[in-house]
Amino acid sequence: AGRPVISQRMENMENRPLARNAFEDGKEILLYQTEEELAEHLSRVLGDPDFARAITINARKRIESEHTTEGYVGELLKWIENG
């Protein structure tokens, strides 16, 4: 079935495009910086099962379409070709 992911936002995320673009915050993952944001995410996920399910489904779709061996190899080849 799966569960929504709530994760702490990484430092310098704006300088790390692969990490920044891996999942869309608020649609496929829930990111937080403060304890208050974490509490808000937990409260929403626990109080709104439809929202939690949507986050989970959206993340699974992203994983199945983009986070594959073929996708990673393709990105690596683009990086090699373009420098």
Side-chain angles (χ1 to χ4, degrees), residues 42-57:
L42 288 169
S43 178
R44 178 132 191 234
V45 164
L46 294 172
D48 188 346
D50 290 335
F51 174 73
R53 191 173 308 107
I55 294 288
T56 303
I57 290 169

Side-chain angles (χ1 to χ4, degrees), residues 29-44:
I29 192 170
L30 299 171
L31 300 175
Y32 70 92
Q33 284 186 306
T34 66
E35 291 177 6
E36 291 79 17
E37 288 175 330
L38 173 59
E40 288 172 15
H41 288 326
L42 288 169
S43 178
R44 178 132 191 234

